[in-house]
Amino acid sequence: MTELDVAAAPPLNEPPEWLRLNGKMVIISPLKEVVRAAVPLVAVFVAGISTHNWWQWLSLVGVVLLIARGVTHWATARYRITDEQVELRSGLFNRKTRAVPRDRIRTVDITSEWQHRLAGLSALKIGTGRQDKGKDDELILDAITKAEAERLRTLLLTKAVPAPAEQSVVDGQPPEAELVRVDRRWTWYAPFTLSGIAVVAAAFGAVWHFANDLHIRPDDFEIIRAALGVVGTESPWLLIPAAAVALLVVATIASVLGYILSYWNFSVTREQSGTLHIRHGLLNTRSVSIEEARLRGVEVKETLPLRLVRGGRATAVVSGLRTGRGDERGGGLLLPAAPVAQAHLVAAKVLREPTDPTTAALTPHPAAALRRRITRAVAAVLALALVAWIGYQLDILPFWVWIVFLVLTPFSAWLGYDRYRSLGHTLANGYLVSRSGSLVRETVALRSDGVIGWRVHASYFQRRSGLVTLVATTAAGRGGYHVTDAGASHALAFADEVVPDLVAQFLEPAT
């Protein structure tokens, strides 16, 4: 691991001068573009061959244009870092200049896709912390050397947030302390994350889409035609379990591969400058920096399969960090699927607490919440069974569908009870702790000084049961965290306890 000198920010180039991106980008950028456009390029080429016309040459023209685009971007891109801002300008026909004020920089991420790693390069993404999904708040230096990326990350974060006096460098101490490192034996938790099923579904959808565009039918292939012939002759009572087992095997393999590729060498370290540094990845590596000053809490998530094997994952509740999808959502990940005890432990470490607030004893919710959950769960399944029975009477659905829903009724009742059992909230050592969910049980510990407001929801049925849902709004994470189906009077008193005098001014004294 490369040791960084965080005692002082690395010096700027004096005077600041415009610098080029690394020359290897001439190879990397076109290669990335060609890989991204590989499927449509191949589709156009195959379509041209099948129709014996000039369409096949369009794919070659596309490759040439992508290469020209990459070379043009490298030839015109320049960046520089001044005392006030980071500037990037590029473009041949449309000249574009972008600048990010250094005092607004909130995130500096380093990513190295496999194309970058072949050339020893990285991409530096500088963000200002806006939580919308736009790209206007980001500035990306793609590609620079790994050493230069680390130097700029230290420079920009040190300049953006000076280290507190008590966190200054002490001679003889390491520049960063490791909080957690993923044990490779934890890979066996991967099949319980259900990510493999999502991967299989996405891959099947993509293949089906492009096959449809190319007018390729499944029975055009002998092996698929033979498989469909077997399916047509076997009983559904045999085919359904066989298909479920096959899907389970494929999903397990996909989830394990995905876990290894995404979280290889996953580690969280704390730097003396007051920054949490997260690194992970096998083929594509990623490095994320989170300022502790923007950390508002931690969330521990346990999906139902993970709970069966006592697993969970931890995510940081951070202001100014993107909460989009995929790679962006992973930016706040503190621990992937692992033993849930480790998830609670890493939560305590990053919050600098001796005991983890996410394991605090919670106040249970009223019995009315239990009735509400079981009623909703059972009623939903019975309604589906009724719809399926009507479909059977109209010869739209087979007979066994509505039987399946009836068989699921006890499970839905248990699910409703489990959802109630997961409910709870408390105020522990300055943290609002709330837990809910069954299929995905979420426990969040949110610093009370991070709560900027409250919202109180009560539906018609909740009002009849004397329940409300309390939402703590915050400028971090998802923006709001729920205390679901709490007693009305208790919920308001709890809100006043978490943030004194914020709610009380809107309440009327009881007569």
Side-chain angles (χ1 to χ4, degrees):
M1 182 180 297
T2 304
E3 293 190 354
L4 301 176
D5 180 9
V6 296
L12 292 170
N13 297 318
E14 297 295 346
E17 60 184 20
W18 289 97
L19 303 174
R20 281 182 178 273
L21 299 175
N22 194 284
K24 296 178 182 176
M25 184 182 175
V26 177
I27 302 174
I28 299 302
S29 182
L31 181 60
K32 289 174 58 179
E33 296 289 347
V34 169
V35 171
R36 289 172 184 169
V39 174
L41 288 175
V42 171
V44 172
F45 186 77
V46 173
I49 292 177
S50 60
T51 55
H52 302 289
N53 60 28
W54 54 271
W55 277 85
Q56 58 184 310
W57 298 106
L58 284 181
S59 60
L60 300 179
V61 173
V63 171
V64 172
L65 291 177
L66 291 175
I67 294 175
R69 179 184 176 185
V71 173
T72 303
H73 181 69
W74 172 81
T76 59
R78 302 285 190 280
Y79 72 94
R80 70 176 181 178
I81 300 175
T82 68
D83 288 334
E84 292 77 24
Q85 59 187 12
V86 182
E87 301 174 53
L88 172 67
R89 66 185 186 189
S90 62
L92 180 62
F93 300 105
N94 295 325
R95 196 67 172 172
K96 182 192 301 182
T97 302
R98 300 188 60 187
V100 175
R102 293 183 60 178
D103 58 357
R104 291 183 54 192
I105 294 176
R106 295 295 179 267
T107 59
V108 180
D109 298 346
I110 300 174
T111 58
S112 297
E113 299 179 3
W114 63 269
Q115 300 95 331
H116 291 94
R117 300 185 67 185
L118 290 176
L121 302 178
S122 296
L124 190 77
K125 182 185 296 182
I126 302 169
T128 58
R130 288 171 50 185
Q131 295 196 28
D132 54 32
K133 295 181 180 180
K135 298 293 184 182
D136 293 339
D137 66 321
E138 289 184 349
L139 189 150
I140 301 176
L141 302 181
D142 183 13
I144 55 179
T145 63
K146 292 183 178 179
E148 178 68 359
E150 290 288 353
R151 189 187 78 87
L152 292 181
R153 185 183 70 85
T154 306
L155 167 67
L156 298 175
L157 289 180
T158 304
K159 282 288 186 179
V161 180
E166 63 274 16
Q167 295 177 355
S168 59
V169 173
V170 178
D171 293 339
Q173 291 189 1
E176 58 183 17
E178 185 173 278
L179 303 182
V180 65
R181 176 175 291 276
V182 167
D183 192 321
R184 293 173 186 175
R185 291 174 297 181
W186 297 347
T187 305
W188 89 279
Y189 286 94
F192 300 95
T193 61
L194 302 180
S195 61
I197 294 179
V199 171
V200 172
F204 178 79
V207 171
W208 183 270
H209 173 74
F210 286 107
N212 185 59
D213 288 347
L214 295 174
H215 304 290
I216 298 176
R217 299 171 53 186
D219 55 3
D220 291 340
F221 300 92
E222 178 62 28
I223 185 171
I224 297 179
R225 190 163 53 245
L228 291 176
V230 172
V231 169
T233 57
E234 295 293 338
S235 167
W237 299 105
L238 177 63
L239 289 176
I240 293 176
V245 170
L247 176 63
L248 187 62
V249 171
V250 175
T252 299
I253 295 173
S255 58
V256 170
L257 289 177
Y259 191 96
I260 293 174
L261 292 175
S262 298
Y263 306 124
W264 188 261
N265 285 337
F266 186 102
S267 66
V268 180
T269 58
R270 173 181 284 122
E271 299 179 345
Q272 291 188 7
S273 58
T275 301
L276 297 175
H277 199 188
I278 305 167
R279 304 179 179 91
H280 58 94
L282 181 58
L283 295 180
N284 299 335
T285 61
R286 191 179 185 195
S287 172
V288 180
S289 300
I290 299 176
E291 301 168 15
E292 288 188 88
R294 296 186 298 111
L295 186 66
R296 297 292 179 268
V298 173
E299 186 173 18
V300 175
K301 293 186 178 180
E302 305 163 78
T303 61
L304 186 58
L306 272 180
R307 286 169 57 194
L308 297 177
V309 293
R310 297 182 180 278
R313 48 187 288 159
T315 306
V317 179
V318 187
S319 63
L321 197 65
R322 287 185 178 276
T323 57
R325 295 183 297 177
D327 213 21
E328 293 178 345
R329 174 168 291 181
L333 184 65
L334 295 174
L335 189 68
V340 68
Q342 291 294 329
H344 292 301
L345 181 62
V346 71
K349 287 182 177 178
V350 299
L351 294 175
R352 296 179 182 268
E353 297 292 338
T355 58
D356 175 31
T358 56
T359 58
L362 304 180
T363 302
H365 289 196
L370 173 62
R371 294 193 297 271
R372 176 175 160 81
R373 259 147 184 72
I374 292 181
T375 302
R376 293 173 61 182
V378 173
V381 174
L382 291 179
L384 290 174
L386 177 61
V387 172
W389 180 81
I390 295 175
Y392 165 68
Q393 296 296 324
L394 298 175
D395 290 333
I396 298 176
L397 294 175
F399 171 78
W400 54 269
V401 175
W402 72 278
I403 298 296
V404 169
F405 285 117
L406 284 182
V407 172
L408 289 177
T409 303
F411 174 75
S412 64
W414 174 86
L415 197 63
Y417 171 73
D418 190 62
R419 290 188 65 200
Y420 168 76
R421 192 174 58 174
S422 297
L423 289 179
H425 66 277
T426 192
L427 180 63
N429 299 325
Y431 289 89
L432 185 165
V433 184
S434 175
R435 189 175 66 196
S436 63
S438 181
L439 296 178
V440 181
R441 188 165 71 181
E442 300 173 342
T443 305
V444 62
L446 181 66
R447 286 172 46 182
S448 58
D449 58 2
V451 178
I452 59 176
W454 292 101
R455 284 182 293 153
V456 181
H457 295 284
S459 66
Y460 171 76
F461 295 105
Q462 280 182 307
R463 292 197 300 272
R464 290 182 60 86
S465 302
L467 303 175
V468 297
T469 295
L470 198 62
V471 183
T473 57
T474 179
R478 299 199 300 268
Y481 292 91
H482 293 66
V483 178
T484 306
D485 282 350
S489 58
H490 177 78
L492 297 177
F494 176 71
D496 186 59
E497 181 184 4
V498 174
V499 186
D501 302 329
L502 182 60
V503 176
Q505 57 185 316
F506 302 104
L507 302 179
E508 296 181 357
T511 57

